[in-house]
Amino acid sequence: MSTANIAAKPKTRKLLFSAGLSWMFDAMDVGIISFIAAALAADWGLTPQQTGLFTSINSIGMVFGAALAGLMADKFGRKAVLLWTLVIFAAASGLSAAATGFAILCVLRFIAGFGLGGELPVASTLVSESVPAKDRGRAVVLLESFWALGWILSALIAYFVIPDYGWRMAFVISGVPVLYALYLRRSIEDPPRFIEQSNAMKQRFSVREKLQSVWSAPHRRSTIMLWILWFTVVFSYYGMFLWLPSVMVLKGFSLVKSFEYVLIMTLAQLPGYFTAAYFIEKFGRKFVLVLYLVLTAASAAWFGSATTEGMLIASGICLSFFNLGAWGGMYAYTPELYPTKVRSTGVGFAASFGRIGGVIAPFLVGWLVAREVAISSIFWLFFVTVLIGAIAVLWLGTETKGKELLD
């Protein structure tokens, strides 16, 4: 079935649009941080280490948010947790505009990250459980494609708002999604699969039992693979993309010109998602993930060593295309490896472990930049990291294309 046919189904279309917009707002908030970091460094005179901490603190919140929301969504429902995480991240993000010092700003970004980290795995689980097996992978990748829209929106805000109105106005705009929760409350419902099992799950499964189940013999191989995959993908993504505008400045471009180039690179995310959505049902999850991860690694090495303006833009476009396509495959694949009673827990903890990589990478890049390590060397680090993720999927992964979800 084509992507268009999926979108044509009214219930699926409404679900993808409703969950997708929340996903888009998440991406807008994460994306705006990369641009605000560059502007804030100039405005407040932040050191590279402080800039790294600022971009990492969001991910520290996401570590806790993903794990806790995964557990809560298996107990209280996907819809309720999705709504609350959206409210938490949007409110904290909007309040960040009023921050009077670096410490206060970091606290607010931690809270925003907590909400962000919880919302993403819960949304992907909700969509995965609500769509038939033959369309499920493609639907989740299409959900992920809203991430590209959010990044494009953040790049537009950075280009048109930050230079004239400052980074505080960007935070004000990122707080607007708190109002979207009012619409989301009426437009989505818990999946029938979850509703059927929810009462039995509450009676039989404690938090400890859920965690034990994720690491039990039937799921241990998948859990190991997913934790490696999530760590390597998140580590490389947040290390590269949150520093992308700053890296462009380090390569000699003005702040405005850097924002312009990053906007161009960000546009490549959409075709990356759409091609992954097509291939994932045609060739399978493992094929898409391994191929796109290997090409992401190659693009990272190319970008790090690029010396001309044309090479930077071309390699940056490839980096966006393949990296975000891999993200789509990862979100489609992860919920399919666990049964309903622990699905959100399994997804949440894989995402939570991955977010540790998102904490380490931006701070590590700031530390390396402060010690005048060459940008090319930093991107070779990402090259190796992404290849480790590809090898884990190739060696430990099992194909789930066309299979019904585990009960």
Side-chain angles (χ1 to χ4, degrees), residues 158-240:
Y159 187 69
F160 291 106
V161 175
I162 293 178
D164 293 330
Y165 301 99
W167 56 266
R168 293 184 188 276
M169 182 56 66
F171 272 136
V172 170
I173 295 172
S174 67
V176 171
V178 73
L179 301 175
Y180 179 64
L182 298 175
Y183 165 79
L184 201 62
R185 183 172 177 268
R186 298 189 303 271
S187 65
I188 63 170
E189 297 296 336
D190 279 316
R193 178 186 296 269
F194 171 80
I195 294 172
E196 290 171 4
Q197 296 195 19
S198 60
N199 290 332
M201 283 190 293
K202 288 174 186 175
Q203 294 168 4
R204 295 199 317 260
F205 258 53
S206 66
V207 170
R208 177 181 293 181
E209 288 171 327
K210 289 177 183 178
L211 295 178
Q212 289 175 340
S213 178
V214 167
W215 280 101
S216 64
H219 310 305
R220 188 178 299 126
R221 182 186 179 98
S222 293
T223 297
I224 292 171
M225 181 273 296
L226 288 172
W227 284 34
I228 295 171
L229 173 64
W230 273 86
F231 184 91
T232 55
V233 170
V234 178
F235 178 91
S236 59
Y237 176 82
Y238 282 86
M240 292 187 294

Coordinates of all heavy atoms in Angstrom, one line a residue, residues 158-240:
A158 N 14.6 30.7 13.5 CA 16.0 31.2 13.8 C 16.4 32.2 12.7 O 17.1 33.2 13.1 CB 17.0 30.0 13.7
Y159 N 16.1 32.0 11.5 CA 16.5 32.8 10.4 C 15.8 34.2 10.4 O 16.3 35.2 10.2 CB 16.3 32.1 9.1 CG 16.9 32.9 7.9 CD1 18.3 33.0 7.7 CD2 16.1 33.5 6.9 CE1 18.8 33.7 6.7 CE2 16.6 34.2 5.9 CZ 18.0 34.3 5.7 OH 18.5 35.0 4.7
F160 N 14.4 34.1 10.7 CA 13.6 35.3 10.6 C 13.4 36.0 11.9 O 13.0 37.2 11.9 CB 12.3 35.0 9.9 CG 12.4 34.6 8.4 CD1 12.2 33.3 8.0 CD2 12.7 35.6 7.5 CE1 12.4 33.0 6.7 CE2 12.8 35.3 6.1 CZ 12.6 34.0 5.7
V161 N 13.4 35.3 13.0 CA 13.1 35.9 14.3 C 14.3 36.2 15.2 O 14.4 37.4 15.7 CB 12.1 34.9 15.1 CG1 11.8 35.4 16.5 CG2 10.8 34.7 14.3
I162 N 15.2 35.3 15.4 CA 16.3 35.5 16.3 C 17.2 36.7 15.9 O 17.5 37.5 16.8 CB 17.1 34.2 16.4 CG1 16.3 33.1 17.1 CG2 18.4 34.5 17.2 CD1 17.1 31.8 17.3
P163 N 17.6 36.9 14.7 CA 18.4 38.1 14.4 C 17.8 39.4 14.7 O 18.4 40.4 15.1 CB 18.7 37.9 12.9 CG 18.5 36.5 12.6 CD 17.4 36.0 13.5
D164 N 16.4 39.5 14.5 CA 15.7 40.8 14.8 C 15.1 40.9 16.1 O 15.0 42.0 16.7 CB 14.7 41.0 13.7 CG 15.2 41.2 12.3 OD1 16.4 41.7 12.2 OD2 14.6 40.8 11.3
Y165 N 14.6 39.8 16.7 CA 13.8 39.9 17.9 C 14.5 39.2 19.1 O 14.0 39.2 20.2 CB 12.4 39.3 17.7 CG 11.7 40.0 16.6 CD1 11.6 39.5 15.4 CD2 11.0 41.2 16.9 CE1 10.9 40.2 14.3 CE2 10.3 41.9 15.9 CZ 10.3 41.4 14.6 OH 9.6 42.1 13.7
G166 N 15.6 38.4 18.8 CA 16.3 37.8 19.9 C 15.9 36.4 20.2 O 14.8 35.9 19.8
W167 N 16.7 35.7 21.0 CA 16.4 34.3 21.3 C 15.2 34.1 22.3 O 14.6 33.1 22.3 CB 17.7 33.6 21.9 CG 18.3 34.3 23.1 CD1 19.2 35.2 23.1 CD2 17.9 34.1 24.5 NE1 19.5 35.6 24.4 CE2 18.7 34.9 25.3 CE3 17.0 33.2 25.1 CZ2 18.6 35.0 26.7 CZ3 16.9 33.3 26.5 CH2 17.7 34.1 27.3
R168 N 14.9 35.1 23.1 CA 13.8 35.0 24.0 C 12.5 34.8 23.2 O 11.6 34.1 23.7 CB 13.7 36.2 24.9 CG 14.9 36.3 25.9 CD 14.8 37.5 26.9 NE 16.0 37.7 27.7 CZ 16.2 37.0 28.8 NH1 15.4 36.1 29.2 NH2 17.3 37.2 29.5
M169 N 12.3 35.6 22.1 CA 11.1 35.5 21.4 C 11.0 34.1 20.8 O 9.9 33.5 20.6 CB 11.1 36.5 20.2 CG 9.8 36.5 19.4 SD 8.3 36.7 20.3 CE 8.5 38.4 21.0
A170 N 12.1 33.4 20.4 CA 12.1 32.1 19.9 C 11.5 31.1 21.0 O 10.7 30.2 20.7 CB 13.5 31.6 19.5
F171 N 11.9 31.3 22.2 CA 11.4 30.5 23.3 C 9.9 30.8 23.5 O 9.1 29.8 23.8 CB 12.1 30.8 24.6 CG 13.3 29.9 24.8 CD1 14.5 30.5 25.3 CD2 13.3 28.6 24.6 CE1 15.6 29.7 25.5 CE2 14.4 27.8 24.8 CZ 15.6 28.4 25.2
V172 N 9.4 32.0 23.4 CA 8.0 32.3 23.5 C 7.2 31.5 22.5 O 6.2 30.9 22.8 CB 7.8 33.8 23.3 CG1 6.3 34.1 23.2 CG2 8.3 34.6 24.5
I173 N 7.7 31.5 21.3 CA 7.0 30.8 20.2 C 7.0 29.3 20.5 O 6.0 28.6 20.3 CB 7.7 31.0 18.8 CG1 7.6 32.5 18.4 CG2 7.1 30.1 17.8 CD1 8.4 32.9 17.2
S174 N 8.1 28.8 21.1 CA 8.1 27.3 21.4 C 7.2 26.9 22.5 O 7.0 25.7 22.8 CB 9.6 26.9 21.7 OG 10.0 27.5 22.9
G175 N 6.6 27.9 23.2 CA 5.7 27.6 24.3 C 4.3 27.5 23.8 O 3.4 27.1 24.6
V176 N 4.0 28.0 22.6 CA 2.6 28.0 22.0 C 2.0 26.6 22.0 O 0.8 26.4 22.3 CB 2.6 28.6 20.6 CG1 1.3 28.4 19.9 CG2 3.0 30.0 20.7
P177 N 2.7 25.5 21.8 CA 2.1 24.1 21.7 C 1.3 23.7 23.0 O 0.6 22.8 22.9 CB 3.3 23.2 21.5 CG 4.3 24.0 20.8 CD 4.2 25.4 21.4
V178 N 1.5 24.4 24.1 CA 0.8 24.0 25.3 C -0.7 24.2 25.0 O -1.6 23.4 25.6 CB 1.2 24.9 26.5 CG1 0.6 26.4 26.3 CG2 0.7 24.3 27.8
L179 N -1.1 25.1 24.1 CA -2.5 25.2 23.7 C -3.0 24.0 22.9 O -4.2 23.7 22.8 CB -2.7 26.5 22.9 CG -2.3 27.8 23.7 CD1 -2.5 29.0 22.8 CD2 -3.2 28.0 25.0
Y180 N -2.1 23.4 22.2 CA -2.4 22.3 21.3 C -3.0 21.1 22.1 O -3.8 20.3 21.6 CB -1.2 21.8 20.5 CG -1.5 20.7 19.5 CD1 -2.4 20.8 18.5 CD2 -0.9 19.5 19.7 CE1 -2.7 19.7 17.7 CE2 -1.1 18.4 18.9 CZ -2.0 18.5 17.9 OH -2.3 17.5 17.0
A181 N -2.6 21.0 23.3 CA -3.1 19.9 24.2 C -4.6 19.9 24.3 O -5.2 18.8 24.4 CB -2.5 20.0 25.6
L182 N -5.2 21.0 24.2 CA -6.7 21.1 24.2 C -7.3 20.4 23.1 O -8.3 19.7 23.2 CB -7.1 22.6 24.3 CG -6.7 23.4 25.5 CD1 -7.1 24.9 25.3 CD2 -7.2 22.8 26.8
Y183 N -6.7 20.5 21.9 CA -7.2 19.8 20.7 C -6.9 18.4 20.8 O -7.7 17.5 20.5 CB -6.6 20.4 19.4 CG -6.7 19.6 18.2 CD1 -7.9 19.5 17.5 CD2 -5.7 18.7 17.8 CE1 -8.1 18.7 16.4 CE2 -5.8 17.9 16.7 CZ -7.0 17.9 16.0 OH -7.2 17.1 14.9
L184 N -5.7 18.0 21.2 CA -5.2 16.6 21.2 C -6.1 15.8 22.2 O -6.3 14.6 21.9 CB -3.7 16.6 21.7 CG -2.9 15.3 21.3 CD1 -2.9 15.2 19.8 CD2 -1.5 15.4 21.9
R185 N -6.6 16.4 23.2 CA -7.4 15.7 24.2 C -8.6 15.2 23.6 O -9.1 14.1 24.0 CB -7.7 16.7 25.3 CG -8.5 16.1 26.5 CD -8.6 17.1 27.6 NE -9.4 16.6 28.7 CZ -10.7 16.8 28.8 NH1 -11.4 17.5 27.9 NH2 -11.4 16.3 29.8
R186 N -9.2 15.8 22.6 CA -10.4 15.4 21.9 C -10.2 14.6 20.7 O -11.1 13.9 20.2 CB -11.2 16.6 21.5 CG -11.7 17.5 22.7 CD -12.7 18.5 22.3 NE -12.2 19.3 21.2 CZ -11.5 20.5 21.4 NH1 -11.3 20.9 22.6 NH2 -11.1 21.2 20.4
S187 N -9.0 14.6 20.1 CA -8.7 14.0 18.8 C -8.1 12.7 18.8 O -8.1 12.0 17.7 CB -7.9 15.0 17.9 OG -6.6 15.1 18.5
I188 N -7.6 12.2 19.9 CA -7.0 10.8 19.9 C -7.6 10.0 21.1 O -8.1 10.5 22.0 CB -5.4 10.9 20.1 CG1 -5.1 11.6 21.5 CG2 -4.8 11.7 19.0 CD1 -3.6 11.5 21.8
E189 N -7.4 8.7 20.9 CA -7.9 7.8 21.9 C -6.8 6.7 22.1 O -6.0 6.5 21.2 CB -9.2 7.1 21.5 CG -10.4 8.1 21.4 CD -10.8 8.7 22.7 OE1 -10.5 8.2 23.7 OE2 -11.4 9.8 22.6
D190 N -6.9 6.0 23.2 CA -6.0 4.9 23.4 C -6.3 3.8 22.4 O -7.4 3.6 22.0 CB -6.1 4.3 24.8 CG -5.3 5.1 25.8 OD1 -4.2 5.4 25.6 OD2 -5.9 5.4 26.9
P191 N -5.3 3.0 21.9 CA -5.5 2.0 21.0 C -6.4 0.8 21.6 O -6.2 0.5 22.7 CB -4.1 1.4 20.7 CG -3.1 2.5 21.1 CD -3.8 3.2 22.3
P192 N -7.2 0.2 20.7 CA -8.1 -0.8 21.2 C -7.3 -2.0 21.8 O -7.7 -2.6 22.8 CB -8.8 -1.3 20.0 CG -8.9 -0.1 19.1 CD -7.6 0.6 19.4
R193 N -6.1 -2.3 21.3 CA -5.3 -3.4 21.8 C -4.9 -3.1 23.2 O -4.9 -4.0 24.1 CB -4.0 -3.5 20.9 CG -3.0 -4.5 21.3 CD -1.8 -4.4 20.5 NE -2.1 -4.7 19.1 CZ -2.0 -6.0 18.6 NH1 -1.6 -7.0 19.3 NH2 -2.3 -6.2 17.3
F194 N -4.6 -1.8 23.5 CA -4.2 -1.5 24.9 C -5.4 -1.5 25.8 O -5.3 -2.0 27.0 CB -3.5 -0.1 24.9 CG -3.3 0.4 26.3 CD1 -2.2 0.0 27.1 CD2 -4.2 1.3 26.9 CE1 -2.0 0.4 28.4 CE2 -4.0 1.7 28.2 CZ -2.9 1.3 29.0
I195 N -6.5 -1.0 25.4 CA -7.7 -1.0 26.2 C -8.1 -2.4 26.6 O -8.5 -2.6 27.8 CB -8.8 -0.2 25.5 CG1 -8.5 1.2 25.3 CG2 -10.2 -0.4 26.3 CD1 -9.5 2.0 24.4
E196 N -8.0 -3.3 25.7 CA -8.4 -4.7 26.0 C -7.6 -5.3 27.1 O -8.1 -6.1 27.9 CB -8.3 -5.5 24.7 CG -9.4 -5.2 23.6 CD -9.1 -5.8 22.3 OE1 -8.2 -6.7 22.3 OE2 -9.8 -5.6 21.3
Q197 N -6.3 -5.0 27.1 CA -5.4 -5.6 28.1 C -5.1 -4.8 29.3 O -4.5 -5.3 30.2 CB -4.1 -5.9 27.4 CG -4.2 -6.9 26.3 CD -2.9 -7.5 25.8 OE1 -1.9 -7.4 26.6 NE2 -2.9 -8.1 24.6
S198 N -5.6 -3.5 29.4 CA -5.2 -2.6 30.4 C -5.5 -3.1 31.8 O -4.7 -3.1 32.7 CB -5.7 -1.2 30.2 OG -7.2 -1.3 30.2
N199 N -6.7 -3.6 32.0 CA -7.2 -4.0 33.3 C -6.3 -5.2 33.8 O -5.9 -5.2 35.0 CB -8.6 -4.3 33.4 CG -9.5 -3.1 33.2 OD1 -9.1 -2.0 33.6 ND2 -10.7 -3.3 32.6
A200 N -6.1 -6.1 32.9 CA -5.3 -7.3 33.3 C -3.9 -6.9 33.6 O -3.3 -7.5 34.5 CB -5.4 -8.3 32.2
M201 N -3.4 -6.0 32.8 CA -2.0 -5.6 33.0 C -1.8 -4.9 34.4 O -0.8 -5.1 35.1 CB -1.5 -4.6 31.9 CG -1.2 -5.3 30.6 SD -0.4 -4.1 29.5 CE -1.7 -3.0 29.1
K202 N -2.8 -4.1 34.8 CA -2.6 -3.4 36.1 C -2.6 -4.4 37.2 O -2.0 -4.2 38.2 CB -3.8 -2.4 36.2 CG -3.7 -1.2 35.3 CD -4.9 -0.3 35.4 CE -4.9 0.8 34.4 NZ -6.1 1.6 34.4
Q203 N -3.4 -5.5 37.1 CA -3.5 -6.4 38.1 C -2.3 -7.3 38.2 O -1.8 -7.7 39.3 CB -4.8 -7.3 37.9 CG -6.0 -6.5 38.1 CD -7.2 -7.3 37.6 OE1 -7.1 -8.4 37.2 NE2 -8.4 -6.6 37.6
R204 N -1.7 -7.7 37.1 CA -0.7 -8.7 37.0 C 0.8 -8.2 37.0 O 1.7 -8.8 37.4 CB -0.8 -9.6 35.8 CG -2.1 -10.4 35.7 CD -1.9 -11.6 34.7 NE -1.3 -11.2 33.5 CZ -1.9 -10.9 32.4 NH1 -3.2 -11.0 32.4 NH2 -1.3 -10.6 31.3
F205 N 0.9 -7.0 36.5 CA 2.3 -6.5 36.2 C 2.7 -5.3 37.0 O 2.1 -4.2 36.8 CB 2.4 -6.2 34.7 CG 3.1 -7.2 33.9 CD1 2.7 -8.5 33.9 CD2 4.2 -6.9 33.1 CE1 3.3 -9.5 33.2 CE2 4.8 -7.9 32.4 CZ 4.4 -9.2 32.4
S206 N 3.6 -5.5 37.9 CA 4.2 -4.3 38.6 C 5.3 -3.7 37.8 O 5.7 -4.3 36.8 CB 4.8 -4.8 40.0 OG 5.9 -5.7 39.8
V207 N 5.8 -2.6 38.3 CA 7.0 -1.9 37.6 C 8.2 -2.9 37.5 O 8.8 -3.0 36.4 CB 7.3 -0.6 38.3 CG1 8.6 -0.1 37.7 CG2 6.2 0.4 38.2
R208 N 8.5 -3.5 38.6 CA 9.6 -4.4 38.6 C 9.4 -5.6 37.6 O 10.4 -6.0 36.9 CB 9.8 -5.0 40.0 CG 10.9 -6.0 40.1 CD 11.1 -6.6 41.5 NE 11.5 -5.6 42.4 CZ 11.8 -5.8 43.7 NH1 11.6 -7.0 44.2 NH2 12.2 -4.8 44.5
E209 N 8.2 -6.1 37.5 CA 7.9 -7.2 36.6 C 8.1 -6.7 35.2 O 8.5 -7.5 34.3 CB 6.6 -7.8 36.9 CG 6.5 -8.6 38.2 CD 5.1 -9.0 38.5 OE1 4.1 -8.2 38.2 OE2 4.9 -10.0 39.1
K210 N 7.7 -5.5 34.9 CA 7.8 -5.0 33.5 C 9.3 -4.9 33.1 O 9.6 -5.2 32.0 CB 7.1 -3.6 33.4 CG 5.6 -3.7 33.5 CD 5.0 -2.3 33.4 CE 3.5 -2.3 33.6 NZ 2.9 -1.0 33.6
L211 N 10.1 -4.3 34.0 CA 11.5 -4.2 33.8 C 12.1 -5.6 33.6 O 13.0 -5.8 32.7 CB 12.2 -3.4 34.9 CG 11.8 -2.0 35.0 CD1 12.5 -1.3 36.2 CD2 12.1 -1.2 33.7
Q212 N 11.7 -6.5 34.4 CA 12.3 -7.9 34.3 C 11.9 -8.5 33.0 O 12.7 -9.2 32.4 CB 11.8 -8.8 35.5 CG 12.4 -8.4 36.8 CD 11.8 -9.2 38.0 OE1 10.7 -9.7 37.9 NE2 12.6 -9.2 39.1
S213 N 10.7 -8.2 32.5 CA 10.2 -8.8 31.3 C 11.0 -8.3 30.1 O 11.3 -9.0 29.2 CB 8.7 -8.5 31.1 OG 8.2 -9.0 29.9
V214 N 11.3 -7.0 30.1 CA 12.1 -6.4 29.0 C 13.4 -7.1 28.9 O 13.9 -7.2 27.8 CB 12.3 -4.8 29.3 CG1 13.3 -4.3 28.4 CG2 10.9 -4.1 29.1
W215 N 14.0 -7.5 30.0 CA 15.3 -8.1 30.0 C 15.2 -9.7 30.1 O 16.2 -10.3 30.3 CB 16.2 -7.6 31.1 CG 16.8 -6.3 30.8 CD1 16.4 -5.0 31.2 CD2 17.9 -6.1 29.9 NE1 17.2 -4.1 30.6 CE2 18.1 -4.7 29.8 CE3 18.8 -6.9 29.2 CZ2 19.2 -4.1 29.0 CZ3 19.8 -6.4 28.4 CH2 20.0 -5.0 28.4
S216 N 14.0 -10.2 30.0 CA 13.8 -11.7 30.1 C 14.4 -12.3 28.8 O 14.6 -11.7 27.8 CB 12.4 -12.0 30.3 OG 11.6 -11.6 29.2
A217 N 14.6 -13.6 28.9 CA 15.2 -14.4 27.8 C 14.5 -14.1 26.4 O 15.2 -13.9 25.4 CB 15.2 -15.9 28.1
P218 N 13.2 -14.1 26.3 CA 12.6 -13.8 25.0 C 12.9 -12.5 24.4 O 12.9 -12.3 23.1 CB 11.1 -14.0 25.2 CG 11.0 -14.7 26.5 CD 12.1 -14.3 27.3
H219 N 13.2 -11.5 25.2 CA 13.4 -10.1 24.7 C 14.8 -9.6 24.9 O 15.1 -8.5 24.4 CB 12.4 -9.2 25.4 CG 11.0 -9.6 25.4 ND1 10.3 -9.9 24.2 CD2 10.1 -9.8 26.4 CE1 9.1 -10.3 24.5 NE2 8.9 -10.3 25.8
R220 N 15.7 -10.4 25.5 CA 17.0 -9.8 25.9 C 17.8 -9.4 24.7 O 18.5 -8.4 24.7 CB 17.8 -10.9 26.8 CG 19.1 -10.3 27.3 CD 19.8 -11.4 28.2 NE 18.9 -11.8 29.3 CZ 18.5 -13.0 29.6 NH1 19.0 -14.0 28.8 NH2 17.8 -13.3 30.6
R221 N 17.8 -10.3 23.7 CA 18.6 -10.0 22.5 C 18.1 -8.7 21.8 O 18.9 -7.8 21.4 CB 18.5 -11.2 21.5 CG 19.3 -11.0 20.2 CD 19.0 -12.2 19.2 NE 19.7 -12.0 18.0 CZ 20.8 -12.7 17.7 NH1 21.4 -13.5 18.6 NH2 21.4 -12.5 16.5
S222 N 16.8 -8.5 21.7 CA 16.3 -7.3 21.1 C 16.6 -6.1 22.0 O 16.9 -5.0 21.4 CB 14.8 -7.4 21.0 OG 14.4 -8.4 20.0
T223 N 16.5 -6.2 23.3 CA 16.8 -5.1 24.2 C 18.2 -4.7 24.1 O 18.5 -3.5 24.0 CB 16.5 -5.5 25.6 OG1 15.1 -5.8 25.8 CG2 16.8 -4.4 26.6
I224 N 19.2 -5.6 24.0 CA 20.6 -5.2 23.9 C 20.8 -4.5 22.5 O 21.4 -3.5 22.5 CB 21.5 -6.5 23.9 CG1 21.5 -7.1 25.3 CG2 22.9 -6.2 23.5 CD1 22.1 -8.5 25.4
M225 N 20.2 -5.1 21.5 CA 20.4 -4.4 20.2 C 19.8 -3.0 20.2 O 20.4 -2.1 19.7 CB 19.7 -5.3 19.1 CG 19.8 -4.8 17.7 SD 18.4 -3.6 17.2 CE 17.0 -4.7 17.3
L226 N 18.6 -2.9 20.7 CA 17.9 -1.6 20.7 C 18.6 -0.5 21.6 O 18.7 0.6 21.2 CB 16.5 -1.7 21.2 CG 15.5 -2.4 20.3 CD1 14.1 -2.6 20.9 CD2 15.3 -1.5 19.0
W227 N 19.2 -0.9 22.7 CA 19.9 0.0 23.5 C 21.2 0.5 22.8 O 21.5 1.7 22.9 CB 20.2 -0.6 24.9 CG 19.0 -0.7 25.8 CD1 17.7 -0.9 25.5 CD2 19.0 -0.5 27.2 NE1 16.9 -0.9 26.6 CE2 17.7 -0.7 27.7 CE3 20.0 -0.3 28.2 CZ2 17.3 -0.6 29.0 CZ3 19.6 -0.3 29.5 CH2 18.3 -0.4 29.9
I228 N 21.9 -0.4 22.1 CA 23.0 0.0 21.4 C 22.6 0.9 20.2 O 23.2 2.0 20.0 CB 23.8 -1.2 20.8 CG1 24.4 -2.1 22.0 CG2 24.9 -0.8 19.9 CD1 25.0 -3.4 21.5
L229 N 21.6 0.5 19.5 CA 21.1 1.3 18.4 C 20.7 2.7 18.8 O 21.1 3.7 18.2 CB 19.9 0.6 17.7 CG 19.2 1.4 16.6 CD1 20.1 1.7 15.4 CD2 17.9 0.6 16.2
W230 N 19.9 2.8 19.9 CA 19.4 4.1 20.3 C 20.5 5.0 20.8 O 20.6 6.2 20.5 CB 18.4 3.9 21.5 CG 17.0 3.7 20.9 CD1 16.4 2.6 20.5 CD2 16.0 4.8 20.7 NE1 15.1 2.8 20.1 CE2 14.8 4.2 20.2 CE3 16.0 6.1 20.9 CZ2 13.7 4.9 19.9 CZ3 14.8 6.9 20.6 CH2 13.7 6.2 20.1
F231 N 21.5 4.4 21.6 CA 22.6 5.2 22.1 C 23.4 5.8 20.9 O 23.7 6.9 20.9 CB 23.5 4.3 23.0 CG 24.6 5.1 23.6 CD1 24.4 5.7 24.9 CD2 25.8 5.3 23.0 CE1 25.5 6.5 25.4 CE2 26.9 6.0 23.5 CZ 26.7 6.6 24.8
T232 N 23.8 4.9 20.0 CA 24.6 5.4 18.9 C 23.9 6.4 18.0 O 24.5 7.4 17.6 CB 25.1 4.2 18.0 OG1 24.0 3.5 17.5 CG2 26.0 3.3 18.8
V233 N 22.6 6.2 17.7 CA 21.9 7.2 16.9 C 21.7 8.5 17.6 O 21.9 9.6 17.0 CB 20.6 6.6 16.4 CG1 19.7 7.6 15.8 CG2 20.8 5.4 15.5
V234 N 21.3 8.4 18.8 CA 21.0 9.7 19.6 C 22.4 10.4 19.9 O 22.4 11.7 19.7 CB 20.3 9.4 20.9 CG1 20.1 10.7 21.7 CG2 19.0 8.7 20.6
F235 N 23.4 9.7 20.2 CA 24.7 10.3 20.4 C 25.2 11.1 19.2 O 25.6 12.2 19.3 CB 25.7 9.2 20.8 CG 27.1 9.7 21.0 CD1 27.6 10.0 22.2 CD2 28.0 9.8 19.9 CE1 28.9 10.5 22.4 CE2 29.3 10.2 20.1 CZ 29.8 10.6 21.4
S236 N 25.1 10.4 18.1 CA 25.6 11.1 16.8 C 24.7 12.2 16.4 O 25.1 13.3 16.0 CB 25.7 10.0 15.7 OG 24.4 9.4 15.4
Y237 N 23.4 12.0 16.5 CA 22.4 13.1 16.1 C 22.6 14.4 16.9 O 22.7 15.5 16.4 CB 21.0 12.6 16.2 CG 19.9 13.6 15.9 CD1 19.6 13.9 14.6 CD2 19.3 14.3 16.9 CE1 18.6 14.8 14.3 CE2 18.3 15.3 16.6 CZ 18.0 15.5 15.3 OH 17.1 16.5 15.0
Y238 N 22.5 14.2 18.3 CA 22.6 15.4 19.1 C 24.0 16.0 19.1 O 24.2 17.2 19.2 CB 22.2 15.1 20.5 CG 20.7 15.0 20.6 CD1 20.0 13.8 20.3 CD2 19.9 16.1 21.0 CE1 18.6 13.8 20.4 CE2 18.5 16.1 21.1 CZ 17.9 14.9 20.8 OH 16.5 14.8 20.8
G239 N 25.0 15.2 18.9 CA 26.4 15.7 18.8 C 26.6 16.5 17.6 O 27.3 17.6 17.6
M240 N 26.0 16.0 16.5 CA 26.2 16.7 15.2 C 25.2 17.9 15.0 O 25.6 19.0 14.6 CB 26.1 15.7 14.0 CG 27.2 14.7 14.0 SD 27.1 13.6 12.5 CE 25.6 12.7 12.8

